[in-house]
Amino acid sequence: MRFLQENLLDLLQSPGFENLRSSFVSRSYVKDSYICQPDSRENSIFIVQSGRARVYLGYEEKEFNLAILTSGDIYSTHTGTYVQALSPLEVLVTDVATFHQQMASYREVNQAMIKVLGNILQASFKTIDSLVFQDTSCRLLSLLLTEAKRRTTGADGSVLLDINLSVEQIANLVGASRQTVSTQLNRLIKAGCIQRQTRGTFMVPDVDALEREYHSNGCP
């Protein structure tokens, strides 16, 4: 799940946004490192340049995923969440005070931030709902469907899901054990709903068929 459909990197490169762009500095993170954690004292805004990061909540030994940040997404370090690099990550960073000053001049950025806040709230409610009312199968199918619907459908109706996540990482996203997710993925493969291509890459032959599988499992 992304927080934005727009790509803010494209916006920053537009004429008239030079001052806003110059207020950011580049920062790099290695895979599995943390951009921020709940006890982080840094008060910054960042935009993902390349790579992917996972936003999640942690309680005792459980993790509850909120979103995957990809190129062009914006987020902050003071939300009380964990933000972890899923791959080598490049971000543009600025402090909140500077960002607030710049926002006054850029209506498009204000609109983007309102969308981010709304989508964070929506993602939080969706996470709570899925953990309370859905089983692992539904949560996994929901993840696959969400990713499939974000991608371009081929001429034959198929969709390539290059999610670049290990089974363990997928398990973390849906709040289940690795073994359970592996079993569910194999079941979907045998049913013809998905085809495994390479590590972290699946083909969905028919998105409508995958959605029917979702509903046939009693998923809301």
Side-chain angles (χ1 to χ4, degrees):
M1 178 188 300
R2 284 190 56 168
F3 286 148
L4 281 175
Q5 294 302 315
E6 297 86 351
N7 189 312
L8 289 182
L9 294 177
D10 294 338
L11 184 64
L12 289 178
Q13 297 304 321
S14 302
F17 285 79
E18 294 82 5
N19 289 339
L20 179 61
R21 172 65 180 83
S22 65
S23 68
F24 287 86
V25 296
S26 296
R27 191 179 294 177
S28 300
Y29 295 89
V30 299
K31 181 181 177 181
D32 295 329
S33 62
Y34 286 92
I35 293 83
C36 61
Q37 299 186 56
D39 59 355
S40 174
R41 294 186 178 182
E42 183 176 2
N43 199 16
S44 301
I45 299 291
F46 65 88
I47 300 173
V48 178
Q49 280 189 294
S50 63
R52 297 195 300 172
R54 177 169 72 108
V55 182
Y56 69 96
L57 299 171
Y59 179 71
E60 294 180 347
E61 296 182 356
K62 295 183 179 180
E63 297 177 357
F64 308 115
N65 186 69
L66 294 179
I68 300 295
L69 302 178
T70 59
S71 178
D73 277 333
I74 188 170
Y75 202 65
S76 68
T77 61
H78 57 276
T79 59
T81 60
Y82 294 89
V83 181
Q84 183 182 30
L86 291 173
S87 63
L89 189 70
E90 299 286 336
V91 298
L92 295 173
V93 184
T94 188
D95 65 273
V96 169
T98 299
F99 187 73
H100 281 173
Q101 291 175 356
Q102 294 288 344
M103 280 180 67
S105 303
Y106 299 99
R107 180 172 56 88
E108 294 89 343
V109 178
N110 278 294
Q111 292 173 340
M113 289 304 297
I114 291 171
K115 288 183 180 180
V116 167
L117 292 173
N119 288 338
I120 290 172
L121 184 60
Q122 182 183 47
S124 299
F125 281 124
K126 186 175 181 180
T127 297
I128 294 169
D129 179 75
S130 67
L131 290 170
V132 174
F133 299 110
Q134 296 184 15
D135 61 16
T136 300
S137 176
C138 289
R139 296 199 297 270
L140 177 60
L141 282 165
S142 177
L143 172 66
L144 295 174
L145 268 176
T146 299
E147 292 297 317
K149 289 180 178 180
R150 286 183 50 233
R151 288 164 167 77
T152 303
T153 304
D156 60 353
S158 65
V159 173
L160 182 65
L161 297 183
D162 185 13
I163 57 178
N164 194 29
L165 298 174
S166 67
V167 174
E168 184 173 358
Q169 288 173 321
I170 294 174
N172 286 337
L173 296 186
V174 299
S177 68
R178 183 187 184 283
Q179 182 177 0
T180 298
V181 169
S182 180
T183 299
Q184 292 296 331
L185 286 172
N186 288 332
R187 181 184 67 80
L188 292 173
I189 291 171
K190 289 180 180 178
C193 295
I194 60 174
Q195 299 168 0
R196 193 189 303 273
Q197 303 292 299
T198 58
R199 179 188 178 278
T201 303
F202 300 90
M203 179 70 74
V204 179
D206 186 341
V207 177
D208 290 338
L210 184 63
E211 188 157 20
R212 287 194 295 272
E213 176 70 17
Y214 176 83
H215 292 297
S216 69
N217 275 267
C219 305

